[in-house]
Each structure stands twice: as structure tokens, then as C-alpha cells.
């Protein structure tokens, strides 16, 4: 009977711990100021970039960064990426991945602690919350207080501010996909496309939910990166470390003189400042854990306490497992620079740099003229009255400049061959034709090629397309001239 009661009681009890709200305490120090700088720069880039202008001439958009889905273009200042050049985007994604590997192997989860969008927006929301409700102690008192008009006003003001930030975040995103001033006017007037309003709605909701409500739960439970990064860290990776051999046993508020009499000289006074400033609410003194995003705010808090009690800084500090072991044994740990410049990080950096240089070289060498030729398949060839053989081709010329260009299309490798464009007569044919290609567009030229019979049944030749303006540039497309079998 007792076992049955135990089972019933277990079924009624919760199988998980209820979330405890995290209210980080404000702290000042070098790492906090670094986080301020990173947050200011990243938010400025995100919100301001769509409004920057870049003159590309009268035939192209003047928005500095634009993902033009309708025109199938990606613009980034002086760089224009066409759909067939998507390998540049793939290269950037590969560089981003290798960059994460490099950062993780060198300084642990520094990306998570400083530049991850979840961290940046959560940090922003926490500062707004602190501005409206007060610092940590005031927020805790407000949590425990019964509902009243004052509490309702503070909570309403906080969530209203969160909603405005979330709306601005979703609104900024859509400006990357259309001309920002035009879309802003249409959006406010109610004339924008439905997808614009839907996108803003979805991003507003997710920003509010993930950054304003779930916060540290995203980092601890939802994000896969903490699980992945453990495979890329080793004993030489920098991470936030509590130096237990120096801090234990903890003073627990007793006077240092009393501790010295007892032979207890641990530097940690168990003030819990490191816990109170942590944005994920963990206790770094419990050792490495998945909730630590290595933002180093606990280092700022601990260094401040150490200065107040006259002890050297660094009880909590960035350190590798190797450095910690050497210090614990009483030795002198190698410097941070020597730790960072090791084969693994240098290999990551070399690969990352090689991909970047290769992409820059390709960008610098690419021609802004591209040509392809498609041969008619029905019929493959036509025998003319004078015995010559005619083939038909569709030559596609892509002008990737923001201005119209005159080009010349010439035959190469087809002896006796002549060509003319649709709308011309055979008598006007020659070894080359000229055409005008619109700005930032693809022109399709219908071209007829005639050559004497008696040659190879399938003879290779090429169309060479050459720009006639001062910039020049050329492209070659190889194809075949078909004759009837003998």
C-alpha cells in the first residue's frame, strides 16, 4: 500500500525544477565595458546598415546592403553577387563556421558571451529592465510584492519597452530586402506587401519571446552550440575559471585575522557577487558548466571584491586548464599570447585566411561579362540551297555592370564560317556581330551560323564575346557546329 501511495505521489509531483527568474546585478569593469562596446557596435550595424546609401549609377539600387530577391541580386557596397556566383555566399558561410571554430578553440565561448544575437538582445532587454524596475534587489522585491497599480505600471512599462525593441528589430530586418525609405513609407501607410507585415510580426514575437522572456533558457536548453563547442576545446583553450586552490576554503565573511589563526586563508569570502552578476544565473565556483557563456562579468565582480579586501585580482579569471594546473602546482603559467599562438589555432587561422584571400582574388579577377551558347536541337542543322550548312544558336550575354554595354560576338575556330543575328539577312553576315546589352541584365541573341559542308560532322568552335567600352573584358563559350553525316 505504501508503495502505491509513493507512486501516486510521484505522479502528482513535478518531474522538473521550476525556472528561477534571473535578475543580474549591474557591474562595472573592463569586460563589462567591452560588452557595452560590442553591443553598441553590433546593434548599430544591424539597425543602421539598411539606411546607408551607395551610388551605383542610374541603373542599379543605391542601398549599400540589399538582398534583392525580385532582381536576384545581393549588393554589399561595391560588391554585387549574381545567382550564379552564390559560391561567394557559400564561402562567407564557410569562413563564419571556421571563424567560430577558431574563436572556440582559442577563447572558448567568447562568441556566446559577447556577439551572439541572443546575448546582445538579452543584454539590451536586461538593461532596459534595470532602468525601469531598478537593480537586482529592487527587481527581487518587485517579484515578491503583491500586485498593485505601481507594480502593474512597472511591468507594463517594461514589457511595452520590450515590445517596441522587438518591433524595431523585426522592422529593421525587412529593410535589408527592399529600398529602406520606400518600404518604410509603404509599411506605415499600410501599402506594403503582406509578407512584410508577416515577417515583422514573426520576428517581433520571436525577439520578445527569446530575448525578453526565455533569456538564459535559450543558451542552456535550446542552443546546440554549447554541446558542439566541447568537441573543439582542449586543455589549451581559454575559459572563465575559478581558481579553487586559491579560493578554498571560503572565508564566509569572517575576518582574515581569524582565518589566519585557524590556518584557513582562502581568498573567496563567499559574497556571491559572481553569481549575482551572471546573466545565466550559474555559480562559476562549481566548475565548468553548460550555462557559462564566458562573458567574464563574474571576473569584473570578483576583481572588485578582491581589490576591496586587499587581495590580488584573478581569483576568477580567463585561464586554460593547462595554466590552471601549472599555477596550482606553484609554477609560472605561460602567457596568454603564447597559449593562443599554437598549431591548432594557427591552422584554423591559415584556413580561414586562405579562403578569404581566395575569395578576394576571385572578386578582383572576375569579369563583369558572361556568355553561354545553347544550340538549337530541332532541327540540329539546315542544308541551304547553295550546299552550305546552317546551325542556330541562342547566345546569352550577361552584363553585370550598372550601365548598358556594347559587345562584339565573334566566331573562333570555324574556318569559312559566317554569322548573323535574327532580323538580319544572310548577306549581312560576317565573322562578328555587335549588340547592345542593357544594364545589369541578361540579353538573349538569336544567332545563325553558316559554314561550308565537307568538314567534321561535329566541329568544335567558340563564340568570343568582347566588351567595346573602355573597361573592356571578354568571355568565351565553347560549342559545336553540326553537319549531316556522310
Amino acid at each position: 500500500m505504501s508503495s502505491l501511495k509513493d507512486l501516486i505521489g510521484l505522479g502528482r509531483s513535478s518531474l522538473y525544477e521550476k525556472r528561477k527568474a534571473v535578475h543580474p546585478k549591474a557591474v562595472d569593469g573592463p569586460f563589462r565595458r567591452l560588452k557595452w562596446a560590442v553591443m553598441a557596435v553590433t546593434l548599430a550595424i544591424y539597425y543602421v546598415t539598411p539606411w546607408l546609401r551607395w551610388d551605383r549609377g542610374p541603373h542599379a539600387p543605391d542601398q549599400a546592403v540589399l538582398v534583392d530577391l525580385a532582381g536576384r541580386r545581393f549588393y554589399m557596397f561595391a560588391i554585387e553577387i549574381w545567382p550564379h556566383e552564390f559560391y561567394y555566399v557559400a564561402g562567407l558561410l564557410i569562413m563564419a563556421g571556421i571563424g567560430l571554430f577558431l574563436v572556440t578553440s582559442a577563447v572558448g565561448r567568447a562568441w556566446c558571451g559577447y556577439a551572439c544575437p541572443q546575448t546582445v538582445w538579452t543584454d539590451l532587454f536586461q538593461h532596459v529592465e534595470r532602468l525601469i524596475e531598478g537593480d537586482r534587489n529592487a527587481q527581487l522585491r518587485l517579484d515578491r510584492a503583491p500586485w498593485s497599480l505601481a507594480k502593474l505600471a512597472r511591468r507594463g512599462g517594461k514589457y511595452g519597452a520590450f515590445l517596441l525593441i522587438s518591433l524595431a528589430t523585426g522592422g529593421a530586418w525587412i529593410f535589408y530586402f527592399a529600398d529602406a525609405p520606400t518600404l518604410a513609407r509603404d509599411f506605415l501607410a499600410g501599402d506594403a506587401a503582406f509578407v512584410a507585415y508577416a515577417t515583422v510580426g514573426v520576428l517581433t514575437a520571436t525577439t520578445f519571446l527569446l530575448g525578453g522572456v526565455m533569456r538564459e533558457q535559450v543558451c542552456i536548453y535550446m542552443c546546440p552550440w554549447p554541446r558542439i563547442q566541447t568537441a573543439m576545446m582542449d586543455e589549451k583553450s581559454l575559459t572563465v575559471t575559478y581558481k579553487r586552490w586559491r579560493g578554498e576554503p571560503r572565508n564566509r565573511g569572517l575576518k582574515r585575522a581569524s582565518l589566519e589563526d585557524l590556518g584557513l586563508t582562502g581568498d573567496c569570502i563567499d559574497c556571491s557577487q559572481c553569481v549575482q552578476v551572471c546573466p545565466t544565473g550559474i555559480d562559476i565556483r562549481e566548475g565548468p558548466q553548460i550555462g557559462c557563456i564566458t562573458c567574464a562579468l563574474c571576473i569584473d565582480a570578483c576583481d572588485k571584491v578582491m581589490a576591496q579586501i586587499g587581495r590580488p585580482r584573478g581569483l576568477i579569471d580567463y585561464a586554460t586548464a593547462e595554466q590552471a594546473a601549472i599555477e596550482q602546482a606553484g609554477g609560472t603559467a605561460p602567457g596568454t599570447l603564447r597559449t593562443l599562438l599554437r598549431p591548432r589555432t594557427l591552422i584554423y587561422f591559415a584556413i580561414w585566411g586562405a579562403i578569404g584571400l581566395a575569395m578576394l582574388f576571385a572578386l578582383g579577377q572576375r569579369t563583369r561579362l558572361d556568355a553561354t551558347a545553347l544550340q538549337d536541337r530541332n532541327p540540329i542543322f539546315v542544308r541551304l540551297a547553295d550546299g552550305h550548312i546552317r546551325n542556330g544558336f541562342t547566345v546569352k550575354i550577361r552584363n553585370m555592370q550598372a550601365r548598358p554595354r556594347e559587345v562584339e560576338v565573334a566566331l573562333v575556330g570555324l574556318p569559312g564560317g559566317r554569322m548573323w543575328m535574327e532580323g538580319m539577312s544572310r548577306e549581312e553576315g560576317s565573322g562578328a556581330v555587335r549588340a547592345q546589352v542593357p544594364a545589369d541584365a541578361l540579353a538573349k541573341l538569336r544567332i545563325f551560323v553558316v559554314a561550308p559542308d565537307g568538314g567534321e560532322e561535329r566541329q568544335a568552335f567558340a563564340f568570343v564575346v568582347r566588351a567595346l567600352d573602355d573597361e573592356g573584358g571578354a568571355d568565351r563559350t565553347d560549342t559545336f557546329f553540326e553537319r549531316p553525316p556522310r
Side-chain angles (χ1 to χ4, degrees):
M1 182 64 71
S2 61
S3 299
L4 179 61
K5 289 181 179 179
D6 292 340
L7 288 174
I8 294 174
L10 178 62
R12 291 176 178 174
S13 63
S14 175
L15 296 179
Y16 62 92
E17 183 182 11
K18 183 179 179 181
R19 178 195 177 229
K20 298 177 182 178
V22 177
H23 298 298
K25 182 179 179 181
V27 65
D28 185 36
F31 294 108
R32 174 64 264 180
R33 289 190 287 273
L34 176 60
K35 280 179 66 67
W36 274 116
V38 173
M39 182 173 70
V41 170
T42 51
L43 290 177
I45 290 173
Y46 178 74
Y47 288 115
V48 174
T49 298
W51 300 93
L52 300 178
R53 302 292 99 183
W54 190 269
D55 185 15
R56 299 185 180 91
H59 302 284
D62 66 346
Q63 186 161 309
V65 178
L66 176 65
V67 182
D68 185 3
L69 296 179
R72 294 183 297 176
R73 305 283 189 279
F74 171 54
Y75 299 94
M76 179 179 283
F77 298 97
I79 299 174
E80 178 183 353
I81 304 297
W82 284 59
H84 71 286
E85 297 177 315
F86 191 78
Y87 50 83
Y88 287 112
V89 179
L92 287 175
L93 293 176
I94 293 172
M95 287 186 67
I98 295 176
L100 276 178
F101 298 162
L102 171 62
V103 171
T104 301
S105 64
V107 289
R109 292 178 65 188
W111 159 260
C112 300
Y114 295 93
C116 173
Q118 174 66 23
T119 296
V120 172
W121 263 269
T122 298
D123 202 17
L124 176 61
F125 282 136
Q126 288 174 342
H127 285 302
V128 171
E129 182 179 56
R130 195 175 291 122
L131 181 65
I132 296 174
E133 294 187 351
D135 203 0
R136 171 183 165 83
N137 291 336
Q139 293 175 36
L140 292 174
R141 287 194 300 268
L142 188 64
D143 284 348
R144 294 191 295 265
W147 283 100
S148 63
L149 288 177
K151 182 173 180 177
L152 188 62
R154 287 184 179 273
R155 287 291 161 85
K158 178 181 74 173
Y159 288 120
F162 286 1
L163 189 60
L164 289 176
I165 295 172
S166 302
L167 183 61
T169 302
W173 178 256
I174 64 172
F175 294 146
Y176 284 89
F177 298 88
D179 182 67
T182 303
L183 181 55
R185 288 193 298 269
D186 291 345
F187 190 91
L188 295 176
D191 298 329
F194 170 76
V195 68
Y197 296 101
T199 302
V200 171
V202 170
L203 291 179
T204 298
T206 52
T207 303
F208 183 90
L209 181 64
L210 299 179
V213 179
M214 299 185 68
R215 296 185 178 181
E216 78 286 346
Q217 295 178 92
V218 176
C219 303
I220 297 174
Y221 302 114
M222 295 175 60
C223 181
W225 187 240
R227 284 84 180 167
I228 298 172
Q229 58 97 27
T230 55
M232 289 177 284
M233 294 178 63
D234 55 24
E235 69 281 356
K236 295 180 182 294
S237 299
L238 281 172
T239 186
V240 175
T241 303
Y242 170 64
K243 299 177 180 178
R244 182 174 299 276
W245 66 91
R246 174 182 157 186
E248 302 295 331
R250 302 174 190 176
N251 295 355
R252 302 189 184 281
L254 298 177
K255 292 183 178 180
R256 176 160 295 276
S258 302
L259 292 172
E260 290 175 350
D261 293 339
L262 297 173
L264 304 176
T265 56
D267 283 348
C268 179
I269 61 173
D270 206 19
C271 62
S272 296
Q273 291 296 305
C274 55
V275 180
Q276 295 178 26
V277 302
C278 179
T280 61
I282 68 163
D283 188 345
I284 192 62
R285 297 171 297 179
E286 296 177 359
Q289 49 202 292
I290 202 167
C292 178
I293 60 174
T294 66
C295 64
L297 295 183
C298 54
I299 299 179
D300 284 338
C302 188
D303 285 350
K304 184 177 180 180
V305 173
M306 291 297 103
Q308 291 172 346
I309 65 173
R311 301 299 296 165
R313 66 161 303 277
L315 176 60
I316 302 175
D317 205 357
Y318 273 113
T320 68
E322 184 180 73
Q323 287 176 327
I326 293 173
E327 287 188 20
Q328 186 173 2
T332 302
T336 301
L337 184 61
R338 181 179 173 185
T339 301
L340 293 177
L341 299 179
R342 54 194 174 94
R344 184 175 182 178
T345 56
L346 292 176
I347 290 173
Y348 279 140
F349 183 77
I351 297 173
W352 181 85
I355 295 173
L357 290 175
M359 290 176 60
L360 288 175
F361 179 79
L363 279 171
Q365 294 297 313
R366 67 176 179 169
T367 176
R368 307 308 292 154
L369 200 64
D370 183 63
T372 57
L374 180 65
Q375 187 178 21
D376 292 350
R377 306 311 299 168
N378 188 22
I380 296 177
F381 56 84
V382 174
R383 185 185 294 277
L384 302 179
D386 61 358
H388 282 67
I389 306 300
R390 190 192 75 189
N391 285 191
F393 297 86
T394 299
V395 178
K396 299 179 180 180
I397 304 174
R398 182 183 290 111
N399 174 20
M400 293 181 281
Q401 290 286 15
R403 64 179 186 278
R405 304 183 78 183
E406 186 180 14
V407 299
E408 180 184 77
V409 184
L411 286 176
V412 175
L414 187 63
R418 295 168 62 84
M419 67 177 177
W420 65 93
M421 289 193 299
E422 191 173 42
M424 299 171 60
S425 65
R426 178 182 174 183
E427 288 70 24
E428 297 177 89
S430 64
V433 295
R434 293 188 177 188
Q436 197 76 15
V437 183
D440 204 28
L442 180 72
K444 296 181 181 181
L445 306 182
R446 185 87 171 99
I447 292 180
F448 299 100
V449 178
V450 65
D453 195 4
E456 301 177 33
E457 290 184 13
R458 197 165 192 258
Q459 183 174 355
F461 78 102
F463 290 105
V464 174
V465 180
R466 181 172 60 89
L468 300 178
D469 55 14
D470 293 337
E471 181 181 344
D475 194 27
R476 174 191 177 108
T477 177
D478 295 310
T479 185
F480 294 92
F481 186 84
E482 304 282 355
R483 293 183 175 91
R486 296 182 180 80

